[in-house]
Amino acid sequence: MAVPIAVLDCDLLLYGRGHRTLDRFKLEDVTDEYLVSTYGFPRQFICYLVDLLGATLSRPTQRSRAISPETQILAALGFYTSGSFQTRMGDAIGISQASMSRCVANVTEALVERASQFIHFPKDEATVQSLKDGFYGLAGMPGVLGVVDCTHVAIKAPNAEDLSYVNRKGLHSLNCLMVCDSRGVLLSAETHWPGSLPDCTVLEQAALTSQFETELHKDGWLLGDSSFLLRTWLMTPLHIPETPAEYRYNMAHSATHNVIERTLRTIRSRFRCLDGSKGTLQYSPEKSSHIILACCVLHNISLQHGLDVWSAPPTGHMEQSEEEYEQMESVDSEACRVRQELLLTHFS
């Protein structure tokens, strides 16, 4: 009985069933320069990922031949950093485009499983104080535990044509809530919010808010821009500064909050699958959210390895926070009191 050619795996047609593991590409056979230019990272970083994810990516499958963890990781890094499943990328490591897609899915889920290991707020007092000191050294803003902002990542229209993902520009997107420290290390990343939600609504519904209202609000706060409402644990700029102290506060706030803007530029510059230059993420909202989170994990790992520096001005088209800032005044009298005390104590 003839087997329809369409059901055969491309790798099977090309390479047969001669090996149980596909190891056609060897890291030791290429230079660091080649690895960085093709996959975005040097050999040491890739080897670390193989050690970190190898056991997960080697899970038993029903397929007669598995793709090695090393090859899966290279395929995923190639997609994250280029935003493309181009044939040349698969040819470089000897797998088909279909297999590339499976590799990206496998590596993405393995990284998402480890997100809490690499993206979290510090809890011990010494590290929290170091966090505050890092921010204070930037522009003299005291008590800062992180800077927060939202950014939009374009995705394809969901199959159900869910209008909740259509943002103000009429594009389908995910609105991602990010917090980072003074070095750009991500402390929180919620990447699943529908693009139609305003930044202030995302924050209101986010796990981050629950964290700060129940656990982390201890003599410190986040800094957010004017798209958020003032809270006791979230300091926003004054809409119309009038006194010298208020001007000094706004200047320090702006200089400190700029860290998250630079961090988002760095992420989309490194991970071109997010910047829109190759089109939108061609996945469901859930899978797209996981890809964004996987890139956030890799961003933090790269900082741990001393690989990342502040990027040049953005070259892609990743959707930034597209709020039309409204003059939102907080009705939280306690939050207003906390900000006023901060003004009097540190900026008068």
Side-chain angles (χ1 to χ4, degrees), residues 41-210:
F41 294 95
R43 188 185 325 274
Q44 182 181 11
F45 181 88
I46 295 169
C47 289
Y48 173 82
L49 291 181
V50 173
D51 290 339
L52 178 69
L53 307 178
T56 301
L57 298 176
S58 298
R59 288 170 179 164
T61 70
Q62 295 181 353
R63 295 171 61 84
S64 60
R65 288 153 53 258
I67 299 176
S68 70
E70 182 180 280
T71 300
Q72 291 184 61
I73 287 167
L74 289 170
L77 292 179
F79 169 71
Y80 297 146
T81 58
S82 73
S84 173
F85 282 129
Q86 290 179 354
T87 303
R88 69 171 185 83
M89 185 68 70
D91 288 346
I93 52 180
I95 62 174
S96 66
Q97 183 170 318
S99 293
M100 282 261 321
S101 181
R102 287 193 294 272
C103 291
V104 171
N106 292 342
V107 174
T108 295
E109 292 310 306
L111 288 168
V112 168
E113 287 176 7
R114 291 161 176 78
S116 61
Q117 177 183 345
F118 294 99
I119 303 175
H120 56 81
F121 282 91
K123 294 185 177 179
D124 64 280
E125 291 186 11
T127 309
V128 170
Q129 187 57 51
S130 177
L131 191 64
K132 294 179 182 179
D133 292 344
F135 280 115
Y136 188 79
L138 295 178
M141 180 70 77
V144 180
L145 299 172
V147 285
V148 58
D149 206 353
C150 284
T151 190
H152 286 253
V153 177
I155 63 172
K156 73 171 184 178
N159 291 334
E161 273 297 329
D162 190 339
L163 294 180
S164 68
Y165 290 95
V166 178
N167 61 34
R168 289 190 180 186
K169 294 182 178 180
L171 304 173
H172 292 84
S173 69
L174 291 168
N175 196 1
C176 305
L177 182 70
M178 308 282 193
V179 180
C180 74
D181 70 10
S182 61
R183 299 182 300 118
V185 175
L186 293 173
L187 304 174
S188 178
E190 298 186 35
T191 60
H192 63 283
W193 296 102
S196 66
L197 293 181
D199 293 358
C200 60
T201 303
V202 168
L203 182 62
E204 182 181 343
Q205 299 179 10
L208 179 68
T209 293
S210 177

Side-chain angles (χ1 to χ4, degrees), residues 228-241:
F228 301 111
L229 284 172
L230 179 71
R231 299 170 183 259
T232 55
W233 50 267
L234 177 66
M235 294 293 102
T236 59
L238 290 141
H239 295 304
I240 306 177

Side-chain angles (χ1 to χ4, degrees), residues 286-297:
E286 180 182 10
K287 289 184 177 179
S288 295
S289 169
H290 285 186
I291 288 173
I292 300 166
L293 185 55
C295 291
C296 291
V297 172

Side-chain angles (χ1 to χ4, degrees), residues 129 300 321:
Q129 187 57 51
N300 274 11
S321 179

